[in-house]
C-alpha cells in the first residue's frame, strides 16, 4: 500500500514540475519567435525570472523521491537513460547560466550569445523529457539484471520522438499563454496570436500521440485488464484532460488568459497522470521481457523507509507549497520595464 502511495506521489511530483517548469521552459523556446526588441526580451526575462529557480525544486524533488522510494528504478533509469538525462541536465545548467549572465554585459553579441543558450537550454530539456517518458510508456530494453541494452539512438524511435514533440508543444503553448497573461502591448499581441494558432498544432499532435500510444504501448491494455484502473477518479483523468485541452482554446479565444493558462496546467497534469497511472504497477516496463520490468513492488524501498519519507513529506511539502504560493502572489502583476524588477534587468 505504501509503495502505491509513493508511486502516485512520484507521478504527482513529475506532473507539478511539468506544470510549473513547463511554462518557463516554453518561454525560453518561444522568445526568439515573439521578441522583436531588447525591451521584449527583458519583459520575457521578467515573466520567468521570479519563478524559474523555485520551479526547479520540483524536478529535484521528483528525482529525490525516485532515489529514496524506488532506488532500483533510480539506478536503472539513470544508467539506461544516462545520455538523455545528462543532456537534460546540461541544458538546464546552460539555461540557468544564461539567465544569470545575460544582464552582466551590454554588447549585442554578448546578449545574443546568452539568448541562444537560453533557447537551446530550454529546447533540449523540453524535448528530451518527452522522449524519455514516451520510452518509459513504451518500455525500454532492460534485461533481467536491469542493464539497458541500447543507446541514445534506441530512445530516438518514432514514438519517442513523437512524445518529445508533444512535450515541446505543451510547454511552448503553456509558456505562450503565460506570456499573454503577464504582458501588454505588442508583445502580448504576438503571444496571443501564437497561442491561438499553436493550439491547433498541439491538438493534432496530441491526437496523433494518443493513436500511436494504442499501437506502441500497453497503456490502454493495462487500463482494460486492470479493473482498479477503472475506478471513478482514474477514469475521470482522461475526460478532464481532454476537457481542459478544449477549455484552453475556449478561454484563449475570449482573451481570458488566466483561465486559459490554468486549463493548460490541468492538461499537462492530466496527461502526465494518464501515462503514469496506465503504467501501474510497472515503473520501468521492459520491452525485452515483461518479467524483467521494474514495478512498485520489486523496486521500492523498505516499508519503514517509505513510512519515514511520508512523515517528512507531510511536514515539508505544505511549507514548499506555501512559499511558492507566496512568490507567485508577490509577482502576480503584469511585468513592466518601469518596475524594480527581478535581476534579469540591466546591471
Amino acid at each position: 500500500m505504501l509503495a502505491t502511495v509513493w508511486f502516485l506521489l512520484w507521478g504527482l511530483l513529475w506532473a507539478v514540475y511539468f506544470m510549473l517548469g513547463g511554462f518557463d521552459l516554453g518561454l525560453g523556446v518561444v522568445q526568439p519567435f515573439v521578441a522583436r526588441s531588447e525591451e521584449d526580451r527583458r519583459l520575457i526575462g521578467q515573466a520567468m525570472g521570479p519563478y524559474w529557480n523555485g520551479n526547479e525544486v520540483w524536478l529535484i524533488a521528483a528525482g529525490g523521491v525516485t532515489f529514496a522510494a524506488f532506488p532500483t528504478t533510480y539506478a536503472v533509469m539513470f544508467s539506461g537513460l544516462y545520455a538523455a538525462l545528462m543532456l537534460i541536465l546540461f541544458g538546464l545548467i546552460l539555461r540557468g547560466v544564461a539567465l544569470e549572465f545575460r544582464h552582466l554585459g551590454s554588447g549585442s553579441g554578448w546578449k545574443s550569445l546568452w539568448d541562444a543558450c537560453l533557447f537551446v537550454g530550454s529546447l533540449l530539456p523540453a524535448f528530451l523529457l518527452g522522449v524519455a517518458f514516451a520510452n518509459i510508456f513504451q518500455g525500454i530494453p532492460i534485461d533481467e539484471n536491469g542493464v539497458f541494452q541500447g543507446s541514445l539512438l534506441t530512445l530516438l524511435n518514432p514514438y519517442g520522438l513523437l512524445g518529445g514533440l508533444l512535450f515541446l508543444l505543451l510547454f511552448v503553448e503553456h509558456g505562450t499563454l503565460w506570456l499573454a497573461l503577464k504582458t501588454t502591448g505588442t508583445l502580448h499581441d504576438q503571444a496571443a496570436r501564437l497561442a491561438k494558432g499553436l493550439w491547433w498544432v498541439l491538438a493534432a499532435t496530441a491526437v496523433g500521440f494518443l493513436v500511436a500510444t494504442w499501437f506502441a504501448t500497453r497503456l490502454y491494455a493495462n487500463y482494460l485488464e486492470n479493473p482498479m484502473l477503472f475506478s471513478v477518479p482514474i477514469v475521470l483523468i482522461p475526460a478532464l484532460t481532454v476537457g481542459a485541452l478544449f477549455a484552453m482554446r475556449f478561454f484563449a479565444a475570449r482573451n481570458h488568459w488566466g483561465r486559459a493558462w490554468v486549463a493548460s496546467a490541468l492538461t499537462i497534469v492530466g496527461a502526465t497522470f494518464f501515462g503514469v497511472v496506465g503504467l501501474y504497477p510497472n515503473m520501468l516496463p521492459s520491452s525485452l521481457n515483461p518479467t524483467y520490468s521494474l514495478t512498485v513492488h520489486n523496486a521500492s524501498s523498505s516499508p519503514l523507509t517509505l513510512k519515514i519519507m511520508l512523515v517528512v513529506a507531510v511536514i515539508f511539502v505544505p511549507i514548499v507549497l506555501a512559499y511558492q504560493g507566496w512568490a507567485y502572489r508577490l509577482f502576480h502583476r503584469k511585468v513592466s520595464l518601469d518596475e524594480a524588477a527581478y535581476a534579469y534587468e540591466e546591471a
Side-chain angles (χ1 to χ4, degrees):
M1 180 63 183
L2 271 175
T4 299
V5 169
W6 272 107
F7 174 77
L8 292 174
L9 290 174
W10 176 75
L12 178 62
L13 288 171
W14 280 111
V16 172
Y17 172 65
F18 294 151
M19 177 181 71
L20 296 180
F23 82 78
D24 63 57
L25 287 172
L27 282 173
V29 174
V30 83
Q31 176 176 283
F33 304 102
V34 297
R36 296 287 183 262
S37 64
E38 174 60 19
E39 286 73 22
D40 286 350
R41 295 183 185 88
R42 288 169 59 191
L43 287 171
I44 293 172
Q46 286 190 31
M48 76 172 85
Y51 314 107
W52 74 273
N53 261 330
N55 294 341
E56 300 304 313
V57 168
W58 297 102
L59 175 63
I60 296 169
V65 164
T66 311
F67 171 76
F70 303 101
T72 309
T73 301
Y74 179 90
V76 173
M77 179 187 291
F78 276 75
S79 61
L81 306 178
Y82 184 80
L85 293 177
M86 283 299 101
L87 286 172
I88 291 172
L89 181 61
F90 291 146
L92 292 173
I93 292 172
L94 186 64
R95 185 166 172 275
V97 173
L99 285 167
E100 297 297 336
F101 273 50
R102 186 183 190 276
H103 68 279
L104 298 181
S106 57
S108 60
W110 175 268
K111 291 184 182 299
S112 296
L113 169 66
W114 294 115
D115 286 342
C117 290
L118 177 64
F119 174 74
V120 174
S122 301
L123 179 69
L124 267 182
F127 181 73
L128 289 176
L129 281 168
V131 171
F133 269 82
N135 274 281
I136 291 173
F137 297 156
Q138 180 178 235
I140 58 176
I142 51 174
D143 63 18
E144 66 273 27
N145 297 314
V147 177
F148 181 69
Q149 302 294 328
S151 65
L152 178 61
L153 293 179
T154 307
L155 303 177
L156 300 178
N157 54 72
Y159 184 70
L161 293 173
L162 186 57
L165 179 62
L166 177 64
F167 267 53
L168 179 61
L169 290 170
L170 277 171
F171 292 168
V172 170
E173 177 74 7
H174 202 38
T176 308
L177 289 170
W178 180 260
L179 190 60
L181 173 66
K182 297 289 287 183
T183 57
T184 57
T186 55
L187 183 58
H188 165 83
D189 296 341
Q190 291 273 10
R193 273 195 298 272
L194 182 60
K196 291 175 183 176
L198 192 64
W199 184 89
W200 296 100
V201 182
L202 170 62
T205 305
V207 170
F209 184 78
L210 287 173
V211 171
T213 297
W214 177 273
F215 297 101
T217 77
R218 284 189 47 79
L219 294 186
Y220 293 116
N222 200 30
Y223 273 101
L224 294 172
E225 292 170 3
N226 195 338
M228 190 191 75
L229 297 182
F230 273 95
S231 60
V232 172
I234 294 176
V235 167
L236 284 177
I237 290 174
L240 288 175
T241 306
V242 173
L245 180 64
F246 281 97
M248 190 194 314
R249 183 68 179 86
F250 176 83
F251 289 127
R254 285 154 183 76
N255 298 324
H256 295 160
W257 301 108
R259 295 175 187 176
W261 187 84
V262 171
S264 175
L266 291 175
T267 303
I268 292 173
V269 172
T272 306
F273 265 100
F274 172 74
V276 170
V277 171
L279 283 172
Y280 186 82
N282 291 316
M283 294 192 76
L284 288 182
S286 171
S287 60
L288 300 180
N289 188 325
T291 61
Y292 302 158
S293 300
L294 296 181
T295 70
V296 295
H297 307 300
N298 66 17
S300 64
S301 294
S302 69
L304 179 60
T305 301
L306 297 179
K307 192 179 296 182
I308 293 172
M309 288 177 59
L310 195 59
V311 173
V312 172
V314 167
I315 295 172
F316 287 102
V317 169
I319 296 174
V320 175
L321 288 173
Y323 170 77
Q324 203 149 26
W326 171 78
Y328 275 77
R329 172 68 182 164
L330 184 65
F331 295 98
H332 72 280
R333 295 187 180 86
K334 290 184 181 292
V335 294
S336 165
L337 294 177
D338 297 330
E339 66 187 61
Y342 185 75
Y344 200 73
E345 288 290 338
E346 297 285 353

